[in-house]
Amino acid sequence: MENATPTTQGNWIGSYSPPSGSFDEFYGEDHTPRPQWQDLDRHFSKIPPENWQRRELQLKRLIKDNGITFNVYSNRGSNARPWNLDMIPLAMSQKEADKIESALSQRANLLNIILKDVYGRQSMLQSSKMDPHLIFANPSFLHPCHGLLAHRDQHINIYAADLLRSKDGTWKVLSDRVESAAGLGYALENRMLMSRIFPKVLKNANTQSLQPFINAFCSHIESLAKQNTDTPNVALLTPGPNNNTYFEQSFLARNLGYTLAEGADLTVRNNRLYMKTIGGVQPVDVLLRRVHSDWVDPLEMRNDSLLGIPGLINAIRQGNLAVANGLGSGFVENPAMLAFLPWYSRNFLGENLEIPSVSTWWCGQEQERDYVLSRIDELVIKPTFARKGAKYHFGPLLSSTEKSELIALIRRFPERFCGQEIESEAMLPTYEDGSVKARQHKVRVFLVPGPTGWRMLPGGLGHYYQDSIVADQPKRGSKDIWVINEKSKDTEESKPSANSSSALSLRRHSFDLPSRTADNLFWLGRYIERSESQARLLRTIISLLLEETGSESHQLVIPFIQQTLPLDESASKLFKDDSSELDLTKAEAHLSELLHSASNTSSLLYNLSSVVRTASSVKERLSIDAWKRINHLDDFTQIITPSSDSIYSEESIQFLDDSLDLSASITGHLTENMTRSPGWTFLQIGRRIERSMTTSSILETIFKDPKNYQDTLFTRFLELSDCSITYRRRYLNTITPEAILDLIVFDETNPRSLIHQARELERLLTNLPHSSGRSHHPIDQHTIRFFSRIGLASPGELLSQKGEILKVTMESFFETLRNELSNTSFAIEQTYFAHTKPHQSSTPSNIIGQ
Amino acid sequence: MARYRIHHKTSCFYNYPVIASYHSAKLKPISNESQSCERFKLKIQPNSQDLSERIDYFDNAMAMFSIQESHDKLTVEAESIVTTTKRAVDLTTLDTSCGYLRSSFKDVTRTDIIDAKQFVHPTEITPIFPEVTDFGMRFFKDEIPIGKALLEILNCFKNEFEFDSTATEVNTPSSEVLQNKRGVCQDYAHLMISAMRACGLSCRYASGYILTMPPEGMPRLIGADASHAWVSVFVPGIGWVDLDPTNNCVCADQHVCIGYGRDYSDVSMLKGAVTGGGDHQLSVEVTMEPIDPSQP
């Protein structure tokens, strides 16, 4: 229980006791903190234990509020897990960082040369030391990439390496990451978080800033553009919100100032890549890629890919596009490469590797295979090439049957396996539940090439584990890495601020709003408005049913219930047989489904989930506050289970109230705190169109039948429309159909009126690109018709008819309005979103044979 | 020696309009030491603005194009004139033993046969199935000369298999073809490739055409031919030997080859990625007619 005692002031490291026999990051041989930790130790000691706890809470809240997540695949729609960052950073001395940088520069150069060779001359095949199996049978060797020359032969433009420290303190490379080099976004995000919870410590400990690296990275990426332009257009290609590291991709894009794009945002025309935006298509010069090479082009790579862009590879081939990292870079990531890297180094560089890999043997060679088999109890067996479903076998964990099966498999297909040393890993202190514990860790570091050679991020992404990584267990949490400049302690004050990403400049703004994003924002606006009005309607209905009993009041509720049904369905399907009375059992079942059925696409729950879904796909466009509310809504919809609860239960009423509160506060945040960009415009247009549709539809239901012209019903209707106060102020307690119709259709000063929606819509549409054209665009034609239909009518005129003619008049008036609204909506979709449709692949098979 | 005019027209009818489409076509007959493509014309409708040609990793000609206008029908017409001087290799003269061949492909120091080594490995379409391995080992035993083994496997296809265009689909695995002993030329080729590779031998997939004889007394029908597939086996010292397991013969001047690859997917004649379109129907017309070798 010693470990559970809280740290005390002056002794934050308190109970930290790393096991003997392993390398410890914090304590040196003499059991005093290593030099790079001394400043940190001093600063951390000043923080009283209760402040540690407070900061931990602050950190958790920051992570939640910023929506920092990684995705875990599951069958439930929403699968984001909160990010986990430990409060204690990993300190690394400048000297050590410099040494790693220099060693990894050699390695990055070597990997780049290997890629250049395999996708070019293939001189490696001429050597009798290189088994061609490692190239020809390698699924990461992508034939269409052969001859795709990278700009200045730079295939690797961002290089990441996973390092671990062995017992004697030397660093070793566990794996090289060049296919997508994930994690830079998380590293920046971690630094941003640390700078929020330990701003002073970060600064006073003389921690290197990440900003210069980011600047170097951006200028390198921009230098790849093949077109001669000062401001090349760069996009970050993401697999989309379901990818496990989508958060960091969108964070990275935002912080580098590049547009985040999915395959559907891009198109190839005339062998040039373009972004589809609301202003038309705009050329892309450089694509920063987070989609695996296999999936980038359904024409030349996997034809079942929906993540890619057909024709992309030919655009690169024709010299019209640079992609980072180069396609096919995954070739150097296979475990077998680790076994051959020393050979490549001697062969291509004439040098020995400066930083060793974790020892690895390829069983395709007889001697190596025998060696691996003789030590199978101690090694981890990995597949030579990463294949679907291929597992790691940890020797120490194998049962005797598993072992003999594995041995038989290795003997049958030796070339498919590699054996690798299991390194014991260095320990470091982590803060968990009020005490400091010792955990094993590994780190991911990042390098970019530049005019003066490779440059390493003075930081990185650390990971620590529950016990040991032997069992391949899940990561427990991440760590920020602080590179401490010990020498310049005296010049502390003159150092640039270490706060990195919050200070990142957002200097680029090159593309117009991507069409797909506009589409999602438009629908986000519609879903929010829809949820809000639906929650109001259901609340009205339930309270009507609650308050009164007897058939009379049920007559009152029928028009509102009619409103919950599709246009072509009549409320009479919920009546008792052969009567015009509501069958309560049927109605309640119907309403219950409308409340919380997850499968019914017109339920409130479904609409709320749609808000979350569309918002998630435009997350990077939303303010943090708005995103916080979306997060709450997500949590909220997750806990609603389709229950058999009565619609009158407390839970149901609470559900409605919460839905209303949440959607109102989201609307508030989106309306108030979002920049008045074209994106905002689309969101507002969506809201206005949805509101107009709902309003005109309920007006029609009520006004087409004089039976409904009753004070009690009108009162409810005014409440539902949020117009009771306005009405009372103007008309006191006299309720007349004319006054109501006037207030809700024709009164421009009432923000809930139809004419007000029309005015707003008209105003919003002038912000869109089409309005700069001279002639009237179809979008405007429909809104003008909507407008003039209202303008040409008056409450008196509409209500002057009786009986059947009244019904027809009302129906035709509101139907015209609704039609013009849907036509407007359709015209907007056609003009701005239509080219966002996904593609499909076809491989006509025309072999019949003879 | 023979000379042919080949007309190959593929039409694709879409149920809904296609907004944009991207295609690659491998339809141009290869030119090598025994075959020469004298003329080649590719006609695409609707018009493409960006037709380009490249040579792929396996030295096959590949046309790439996109169509950026709305269309509900695509036709790709390839017309070529080809002269072939290919002669059938006498399999009985190939006396290298299968065992020796196998060890050559495994031998890291044999960099002279590096090109053949890339066709030794299983692919996604031609994976290793135990029963296919057993089937291969019936023929390619260590001590058997490769020529004899090839003759026997061709005989086996002739005697034990039945051509059946309804038995398989594009993705039918070779283990199933082996079990049912039915299929089309592509299935025969993939099965033979899988079997040989499972036995450590080098074998590649060939795509092209074969001359058909109209029934006696009948004129040659236009568009009644079809594209064809066979295999090509590497024997050190001799080179690549083309064999047609569907017709149980060694290829000579009645076969015209478009290209070679590891399997069908490397030489697929027409590929596409389309936006819109829904389902599509396909119609293919091939005419291969001998022409006078001296005619200009």
Side-chain angles (χ1 to χ4, degrees), chain A residues 739-758:
Chain A
I740 289 182
L741 208 52
D742 185 52
L743 181 69
I744 298 186
V745 179
F746 301 94
D747 186 342
E748 286 200 28
T749 62
N750 173 16
R752 292 262 160 191
S753 75
L754 281 179
I755 193 82
H756 182 83
Q757 312 311 315

Side-chain angles (χ1 to χ4, degrees), chain A residues 369-645:
Chain A
R369 181 193 61 205
D370 292 344
Y371 180 77
V372 167
L373 288 175
S374 74
R375 288 191 57 211
I376 196 158
D377 293 328
E378 305 153 53
L379 301 178
V380 50
I381 307 298
K382 295 184 172 181
T384 302
F385 307 123
R387 276 178 209 281
K388 226 194 288 173
K391 279 194 307 197
Y392 291 178
H393 304 276
F394 287 85
L397 303 179
L398 292 175
S399 72
S400 59
T401 26
E402 283 168 338
K403 192 166 87 181
S404 49
E405 276 168 21
L406 183 61
I407 290 174
L409 207 57
I410 295 175
R411 287 193 190 285
R412 172 83 184 82
F413 301 108
E415 66 285 350
R416 294 187 187 175
F417 297 95
C418 286
Q420 192 175 62
E421 203 78 65
I422 298 173
E423 291 278 349
S424 82
E425 297 183 22
M427 311 298 289
L428 47 54
T430 66
Y431 180 87
E432 288 167 49
D433 307 324
S435 69
V436 177
K437 298 209 164 83
R439 299 287 186 211
Q440 297 204 39
H441 76 99
K442 67 180 180 192
V443 301
R444 181 170 293 183
V445 293
F446 303 88
L447 287 89
V448 289
T452 54
W454 293 85
R455 177 170 186 161
M456 187 168 87
L457 176 79
L461 181 61
H463 277 297
Y464 63 96
Y465 299 82
Q466 183 73 44
D467 291 313
S468 90
I469 64 153
V470 171
D472 202 19
Q473 38 160 287
K475 293 158 187 163
R476 190 168 158 81
S478 71
K479 287 222 170 237
D480 191 16
I481 299 172
W482 292 9
V483 173
I484 309 287
N485 199 340
E486 294 145 273
K487 281 176 216 150
S488 55
K489 260 179 203 163
D490 308 330
T491 56
E492 197 171 296
E493 293 310 309
S494 63
K495 291 284 296 172
S497 157
N499 294 8
S500 91
S501 44
S502 50
L504 288 184
S505 50
L506 296 169
R507 52 202 152 60
R508 306 169 189 84
H509 187 79
S510 40
F511 291 108
D512 281 342
L513 182 71
S515 297
R516 192 182 45 84
T517 311
D519 192 353
N520 281 317
L521 285 165
F522 175 76
W523 278 99
L524 176 58
R526 292 199 62 167
Y527 282 127
I528 290 180
E529 184 65 30
R530 192 176 290 180
S531 306
E532 201 182 324
S533 68
Q534 195 182 16
R536 282 177 176 284
L537 180 64
L538 287 168
R539 200 164 66 169
T540 304
I541 293 172
I542 291 173
S543 77
L544 270 173
L545 288 173
L546 263 179
E547 278 166 26
E548 329 233 348
T549 45
S551 59
E552 193 195 336
S553 60
H554 291 166
Q555 286 305 321
L556 208 60
V557 86
I558 289 170
F560 295 107
I561 287 192
Q562 175 65 58
Q563 193 57 27
T564 66
L565 295 166
L567 276 176
D568 52 352
E569 281 180 28
S570 155
S572 60
K573 73 171 201 175
L574 301 171
F575 290 170
K576 290 178 187 154
D577 293 338
D578 303 324
S579 84
S580 57
E581 276 176 36
L582 205 57
D583 180 331
L584 276 181
T585 326
K586 280 188 201 162
E588 281 161 18
H590 164 71
L591 290 169
S592 168
E593 192 175 317
L594 269 186
L595 265 180
H596 30 53
S597 157
S599 53
N600 187 328
T601 55
S602 45
S603 78
L604 178 58
L605 181 62
Y606 183 88
N607 285 329
L608 291 170
S609 318
S610 302
V611 170
V612 175
R613 184 170 43 80
T614 43
S616 306
S617 57
V618 289
K619 189 170 161 184
E620 62 281 358
R621 304 264 163 188
L622 307 179
S623 72
I624 284 177
D625 286 328
W627 182 248
K628 250 192 240 179
R629 300 309 187 286
I630 300 279
N631 255 336
H632 291 176
L633 181 62
D634 190 21
D635 292 348
F636 173 68
T637 56
Q638 299 284 335
I639 54 166
I640 299 298
T641 43
S643 65
S644 52
D645 270 353

